[in-house]
Amino acid sequence: MPEKMIKRAYISGLGAIGSVFASFLYEHDRDSVKVIVDAERARRYQEQGITVNGKRYDFDYVISQPSVEPADLILIAVKGHQLGESIEAIRPFVDEHTILLSLLNGITSEDILAREFGDAHILHGFVVGTDATREGLSTRYSNKGKIVFGHKNKPDSEDVQAVKAFFDRTGVPYANPSDILKEQWWKFLLNVGINQTSAVLRAPYWIFQNIQEARDLMMSAAREVLPIAQKEGINLKEEDIANFLPLVDTMAPDGKTSMLQDVEAGRKTEVELFAQTVVELGRKHGIPTPVNEMLYRMLRIIEQTYPNLS
């Protein structure tokens, strides 16, 4: 049993990922989980309810304001462009002991959090294997996936042990690899490949499971990450691309990536976390990234054709 125990876990963000794991925690230990929201969202959620797989959940919503009780753990499950707003919302709940675990896509959110709160209690993380789809305030999934997390320098840190004990107690599926940075870059590789190409092609998973040209396009976008990762000290190799193909093939055929869901709903995408990051790191290291440059332009054009971009 770790000396540090998590009794108060807070979640920022009730999109597809946030609502799935909030509902799971609520089912297993409702007293330990609270959702940080602003007053307008609290009113809307309380009136309309959040539904996950057809079941309504009335979470314990807490309003961000001064002099609130600090959290032991905060799971951050917002979109990349919402991170700044989330940081301000969670700020009153963070003290010198609070563990911050970002579930955002990409490879940059932890550095942003560290600049705001220091890096003493920041864990790296992401969710893999989920096919959760969100429409309005309703989320559906057949595979919830799992949270992959760890500390970038101390695989057995006190914070890691505390989160593992909390997830064991509440039944949250997780993995705790010895090299979380490589795993996080591997998820980045996957997202750069399938999220962006699915959004441009308007393609659910069955297209990547059955059409070779779609698989080839996905892999060509992902392949541009490999030499950049090597320059950044992350030992990703060609076989790491092949390793995500079985995962793609296990997804619900009619399921959709989060970026495709964003495009279909007219929401801002996370193209800055993916293609723009690849392009900028490519320029930094003198590595050409033509596929991601093309995807960045295409996705920015798509965003600007939305009738009501939010």
Side-chain angles (χ1 to χ4, degrees):
M1 179 71 67
E3 292 184 11
K4 190 171 186 176
M5 290 191 63
I6 294 171
K7 297 179 181 178
R8 295 180 301 276
Y10 291 64
I11 294 178
S12 175
L14 278 180
I17 296 297
S19 60
V20 166
F21 285 97
S23 67
F24 193 82
L25 286 168
Y26 188 84
E27 293 280 2
H28 290 79
D29 187 4
R30 67 179 60 186
D31 293 333
S32 71
V33 60
K34 300 180 187 298
V35 179
I36 301 171
V37 292
D38 57 34
E40 189 281 326
R41 283 191 177 93
R43 178 193 58 77
R44 182 157 51 93
Y45 294 165
Q46 288 165 348
E47 289 178 356
Q48 301 178 28
I50 299 289
T51 63
V52 179
N53 280 356
K55 180 177 179 178
R56 173 171 172 150
Y57 288 87
D58 292 302
F59 298 114
D60 186 357
Y61 300 110
V62 290
I63 308 299
S64 179
Q65 55 188 333
S67 302
V68 295
E69 190 174 27
D72 299 317
L73 169 68
I74 300 179
L75 299 173
I76 303 170
V78 297
K79 293 288 187 179
H81 60 277
Q82 298 168 327
L83 181 57
E85 178 185 348
S86 178
I87 285 171
E88 294 310 312
I90 70 174
R91 195 180 297 278
F93 299 90
V94 178
D95 71 4
E96 65 272 20
H97 305 294
T98 303
I99 302 168
L100 300 179
L101 174 51
S102 170
L103 303 180
L104 271 70
N105 288 319
I107 53 175
T108 58
S109 63
E110 290 84 3
D111 289 339
I112 295 170
L113 289 167
R115 288 197 293 270
E116 294 290 334
F117 302 109
D119 63 359
H121 298 291
I122 290 178
L123 300 182
H124 287 242
F126 59 90
V127 173
V128 68
T130 184
D131 55 11
T133 301
R134 176 181 174 240
E135 294 184 8
L137 298 182
S138 176
T139 299
R140 289 195 172 274
Y141 69 89
S142 55
N143 299 305
K144 72 171 67 67
K146 62 183 176 183
I147 295 175
V148 183
F149 76 98
H151 190 284
K152 65 177 181 179
N153 296 322
K154 304 174 184 176
D156 295 321
S157 73
E158 184 181 38
D159 289 345
V160 168
Q161 296 304 318
V163 174
K164 286 173 65 175
F166 176 68
F167 285 167
D168 285 337
R169 188 175 84 243
T170 55
V172 171
Y174 72 89
N176 175 225
S178 59
D179 188 349
I180 185 60
L181 291 184
K182 180 177 180 181
E183 294 298 322
Q184 192 172 26
W185 272 78
W186 177 81
K187 175 67 184 305
F188 177 62
L189 181 93
L190 170 64
N191 282 333
V192 165
I194 194 167
N195 269 35
Q196 300 187 117
T197 54
S198 69
V200 168
L201 296 171
R202 305 295 205 275
Y205 288 117
W206 72 264
I207 290 179
F208 295 94
Q209 294 164 351
N210 294 282
I211 299 178
Q212 187 61 46
E213 287 81 359
R215 290 169 85 90
D216 291 343
L217 179 61
M218 170 182 69
M219 294 173 72
S220 67
R223 192 167 284 115
E224 290 183 347
V225 175
L226 295 181
I228 293 171
Q230 291 285 338
K231 290 289 187 179
E232 291 286 313
I234 307 297
N235 190 28
L236 286 178
K237 300 178 180 178
E238 180 69 25
E239 54 261 35
D240 290 304
I241 296 178
N243 288 343
F244 74 60
L245 294 177
L247 176 63
V248 171
D249 290 339
T250 64
M251 305 303 278
D254 292 331
K256 300 173 183 179
T257 67
S258 60
M259 188 173 277
L260 175 54
Q261 293 177 52
D262 289 339
V263 166
E264 291 184 340
R267 296 190 294 259
K268 179 76 183 74
T269 75
E270 294 184 310
V271 67
E272 289 81 7
L273 295 186
F274 301 146
Q276 183 173 320
T277 298
V278 173
V279 171
E280 289 177 351
L281 288 174
R283 289 172 181 164
K284 171 185 172 183
H285 295 294
I287 297 170
T289 56
V291 177
N292 277 279
E293 288 182 20
M294 176 193 67
L295 290 171
Y296 176 76
R297 292 190 180 97
M298 294 177 76
L299 285 160
R300 287 293 293 127
I301 292 167
I302 289 170
E303 287 182 346
Q304 292 173 73
T305 64
Y306 296 158
N308 296 294
L309 178 61
S310 58

